Amino acid sequence: MSESVVPLPICAGAALEDGGRGVRFEVCVSGRRTPAFVIRYGGHVYAYLNQCAHVPMELDWSEGQFFETSGLYLMCATHGATYEPDTGHCVGGPCRGGALQPVHVEERSADPNGGDAAHTTVVWWPDAYIEAPGPSAV
């Protein structure tokens, strides 16, 4: 990662409910705009490319709905593949043993002493594979 790389904001930490709705955002992979998403699980934030490991279809049932009804697993709306939210590993369905592609995210507080999700921002770090989408990305 280049020293000039800076984290890019996705959303307020309060926008993510543990085991609930996620937030979609866009990245660039191999020159193509690609959807990604961030969720909260077990008090931590995790992000992945929004592509099933079985066939690269978007996972969400409706905008931002990635978890199945119990809130314990992410589930592909098309194939029914289930994923561990904290690792992205597929634990059931047609891609068992595969995994979602992670995106490097973190939750930052404006308060130097830390803070709860109501006062944080979720950011992602572009890297050599998952880049910030630019105006020329297709």
Side-chain angles (χ1 to χ4, degrees), residues 8-101:
L8 301 171
I10 300 171
C11 64
L16 301 173
E17 181 182 333
D18 211 87
R21 292 186 81 70
V23 172
R24 293 171 56 108
F25 62 104
E26 198 168 72
V27 299
C28 189
V29 177
S30 300
R32 297 184 59 90
R33 289 184 182 271
T34 303
F37 67 94
V38 61
I39 49 98
R40 182 181 303 282
Y41 180 75
H44 301 283
V45 294
Y46 301 94
Y48 301 98
L49 294 183
N50 192 359
Q51 298 178 337
C52 182
H54 175 233
V55 175
M57 303 285 294
E58 294 183 15
L59 272 73
D60 37 349
W61 297 83
S62 61
E63 180 85 18
Q65 188 60 49
F66 299 97
F67 282 96
E68 42 75 60
T69 56
S70 74
L72 297 176
Y73 295 97
L74 303 173
M75 181 178 270
C76 175
T78 304
H79 307 109
T82 52
Y83 299 90
E84 294 176 330
D86 54 346
T87 66
H89 290 112
C90 183
V91 293
C95 61
R96 188 178 195 103
L100 298 174
Q101 175 65 50

Side-chain angles (χ1 to χ4, degrees), residues 103-117:
V103 176
H104 180 193
V105 294
E106 67 181 46
E107 192 164 15
R108 293 184 151 191
S109 175
D111 177 356
N113 298 318
D116 61 22

